[in-house]
Amino acid sequence: MKVLVIGGGAREHALCRSLSLDPDVTAVHCAPGNAGIGEIAELHPVDALDGAAVTRLAQELDAGLVVVGPEAPLVAGVADAVRAAGIPCFGPSREAARLEGSKAFAKDVMAAAGVPTARSYVCTTPEEIDEALDAFGAPYVVKDDGLAAGKGVVVTHDLAAAREHAIACGRVVIEEYLDGPEVSLFAITDGETVLPLTPAQDFKRALDGDEGPNTGGMGAYSPLPWADPQLVDEVMATVLQPTVDELRRRGTPFSGLLYAGLAITSRGVRVIEFNARFGDPETQVVLARLLTPLAGVLRNAAVGALGDEPPLRWSEEAAVTVVVASHNYPDAPRTGDPIEGLDEVAAKDAPRAYVLHAGTRRDGDTVVSAGGRVLSVTATGEDLRQARERAYEAIGRIRLDGSHHRTDIARKAAENSAVGEAAGDAQAAGV
Ligand code: AMP
Ligand code: GLY
């Protein structure tokens, strides 16, 4: 089977890598891709947001499966266009992708499905905003209603800053602050059957110690040694299956990847957000541990045949990914800087550590930065400690002027996992 992947970030690089390792896949194509994806897939300069152009490309290639990576093409209806031409497509319809595209819609679905989440108000006027901020108190959680690449959320003790962001958003969701460690749990679904993946943890803030502004994600690890072994079953029963059932009941079934961003609070699991696609950078560590060949599962989801799929198989190994971001990310990232040392990682660290490209492009013989998040350096190991060591060793070989990365990805979990396992809770692990 030939597969066409839409997008061009590290998540799509990870998807293309796993697909290219699947014996049932004869060729991987990607549009538009990036410099790293170009080494394992054929790239096509097609606009990812143009459903007609993506469909034409899939037809020309005779693709047996199209996988849509990012949220923007999903919300623009690219999966609808591909499916309308009779080509199996992994990714939800425009209507179902509103679960990510509108925070207010997601809250409505959760309320109808009885899914536990933060109490919230949708506000459009300064009066409503002040009332909501006052009702919840600090820390304030203020979310732009629309798509904002993970950057539309402000969590702050500063009332004036919360108010300013809320007013700038126009339509805004203001909600109760959720305390406790965060978990990202993905599920593959055909709109009816739900197949959970393995949980991961993302690091959203730009700087070590969870300081600095929110970003798209600066690193991730899996598994979570501190998490309750029942967590996946619980989230399946209370979050994932009810949400999929509710969207089917509404006549807009969700088929594709349902991403639940969760807070493990003292009062139980709560949904922080839904996304309608694989998370980035969590996908890099989740797919690093997946043993089941990926293409067949995604295709079965796309054609409504997940019912016969056995549970996914996972490696016992741990995986860690660390994002290398460009100068000034997330504010005004600088691009066009040459990246050196990639060959050295390939020669010395592969296959235990490898570089997945996010914002990169080829400029003659050099690879240069072309976005805010530039690389996602991923490693596997016997445990988190070893995976982390390998990831940071590989990062040490890479030179990108002005770049920054967090040095504490998976550190607490790696240091405390023995304590966390013994005590059986997240608080002991301090994550
Ligand atoms: P979101 O885009 O909704 O995932 O929000 C981005 C990040 O803001 C989350 O990963 C959390 O770290 C934080 N956040 C969002 N909502 C809440 C909340 N209700 N309580 C605490 N932190 C939150
Ligand atoms: N890592 C967070 C996201 O993909 O939205």
Side-chain angles (χ1 to χ4, degrees), residues 210-236:
D210 294 328
E211 301 284 339
N214 259 321
T215 69
M218 295 299 288
Y221 67 92
S222 175
L224 311 180
W226 49 269
D228 183 340
Q230 300 304 315
L231 179 70
V232 173
D233 288 347
E234 182 189 341
V235 177
M236 271 292 282

Side-chain angles (χ1 to χ4, degrees), residues 42-223:
E42 190 178 328
L43 303 188
H44 302 271
V46 164
D47 180 1
L49 296 177
D50 183 341
V54 169
T55 305
R56 246 189 333 270
L57 175 62
Q59 284 167 330
E60 275 163 27
L61 295 171
D62 193 23
L65 174 68
V66 175
V67 179
V68 182
E71 60 275 24
L74 293 167
V75 170
V78 168
D80 306 73
V82 173
R83 262 195 291 274
I87 302 166
C89 184
F90 184 80
S93 67
R94 182 207 307 256
E95 273 300 308
R98 287 179 68 213
L99 208 51
E100 170 163 5
S102 165
K103 304 246 183 222
F105 176 76
K107 286 289 185 189
D108 186 58
V109 170
M110 284 189 265
V115 170
T117 184
R119 287 177 297 124
S120 66
Y121 294 106
V122 181
C123 309
T124 50
T125 66
E127 292 71 34
E128 285 172 357
I129 287 168
D130 285 337
E131 241 174 77
L133 291 172
D134 192 45
F136 291 127
Y140 304 101
V141 181
V142 181
K143 301 185 171 187
D144 197 329
D145 182 40
L147 279 186
K151 290 175 260 178
V153 177
V154 166
V155 181
T156 178
H157 281 88
D158 181 343
L159 177 59
R163 198 167 182 274
E164 190 185 338
H165 180 63
I167 287 169
C169 289
R171 193 175 148 89
V172 68
V173 175
I174 294 177
E175 68 179 34
E176 155 193 36
Y177 178 77
L178 298 174
D179 204 2
E182 286 181 38
V183 171
S184 303
L185 182 61
F186 305 162
I188 292 173
T189 175
D190 58 6
E192 195 165 344
T193 300
V194 183
L195 211 56
L197 278 67
T198 191
Q201 191 174 49
D202 178 20
F203 293 74
K204 291 264 168 60
R205 301 281 187 147
L207 307 175
D208 280 7
D210 294 328
E211 301 284 339
N214 259 321
T215 69
M218 295 299 288
Y221 67 92
S222 175

Side-chain angles (χ1 to χ4, degrees), residues 121-422:
Y121 294 106
V122 181
C123 309
T124 50
T125 66
E127 292 71 34
E128 285 172 357
I129 287 168
D130 285 337
E131 241 174 77
L133 291 172
D134 192 45
F136 291 127
Y140 304 101
V141 181
V142 181
K143 301 185 171 187
D144 197 329
D145 182 40
L147 279 186
K151 290 175 260 178
V153 177
V154 166
V155 181
T156 178
H157 281 88
D158 181 343
L159 177 59
R163 198 167 182 274
E164 190 185 338
H165 180 63
I167 287 169
C169 289
R171 193 175 148 89
V172 68
V173 175
I174 294 177
E175 68 179 34
E176 155 193 36
Y177 178 77
L178 298 174
D179 204 2
E182 286 181 38
V183 171
S184 303
L185 182 61
F186 305 162
I188 292 173
T189 175
D190 58 6
E192 195 165 344
T193 300
V194 183
L195 211 56
L197 278 67
T198 191
Q201 191 174 49
D202 178 20
F203 293 74
K204 291 264 168 60
R205 301 281 187 147
L207 307 175
D208 280 7
D210 294 328
E211 301 284 339
N214 259 321
T215 69
M218 295 299 288
Y221 67 92
S222 175
L224 311 180
W226 49 269
D228 183 340
Q230 300 304 315
L231 179 70
V232 173
D233 288 347
E234 182 189 341
V235 177
M236 271 292 282
T238 60
V239 175
L240 297 166
Q241 191 72 55
T243 301
V244 166
D245 291 346
E246 171 63 19
L247 284 165
R248 193 175 63 251
R249 194 189 64 73
R250 292 181 180 212
T252 52
F254 185 103
S255 107
L257 194 290
L258 178 58
Y259 167 135
L262 307 162
I264 316 296
T265 76
S266 51
R267 288 175 297 130
V269 174
R270 299 279 184 278
V271 173
I272 293 182
E273 65 163 343
F274 281 129
N275 290 320
R277 37 95 195 154
F278 281 97
D280 187 347
E282 298 96 312
T283 298
Q284 287 85 300
V285 290
V286 169
L287 292 185
R289 300 187 53 234
L290 179 66
L291 298 176
T292 309
L294 183 62
V297 182
L298 298 188
R299 193 168 192 282
N300 280 345
V303 300
L306 263 194
D308 301 330
E309 194 71 35
L312 299 171
R313 289 179 297 112
W314 300 99
S315 154
E316 292 290 314
E317 285 200 321
V320 170
T321 195
V322 181
V323 169
V324 177
S326 53
H327 183 63
N328 258 334
Y329 176 78
D331 292 338
R334 186 177 83 198
T335 58
D337 290 303
I339 305 164
E340 288 168 34
L342 297 173
D343 291 345
E344 225 178 301
V345 175
K348 295 188 176 149
D349 304 314
R352 291 291 168 216
Y354 48 91
V355 178
L356 297 169
H357 290 222
T360 69
R361 65 181 167 80
R362 215 160 244 298
D363 185 4
D365 282 343
T366 14
V367 175
V368 300
S369 60
R373 290 190 291 178
V374 182
L375 305 170
S376 190
V377 180
T378 307
T380 53
E382 263 172 35
D383 52 20
L384 288 172
R385 190 192 47 77
Q386 189 177 52
R388 248 187 121 249
E389 264 171 29
R390 286 173 173 163
Y392 281 109
E393 200 174 324
I395 284 201
R397 305 190 206 282
I398 296 169
R399 290 168 300 282
L400 169 62
D401 192 40
S403 69
H404 61 100
H405 64 266
R406 282 184 59 159
T407 66
D408 62 349
I409 303 301
R411 190 178 65 208
K412 280 187 201 156
E415 283 171 0
N416 298 336
S417 59
V419 182
E421 271 163 21

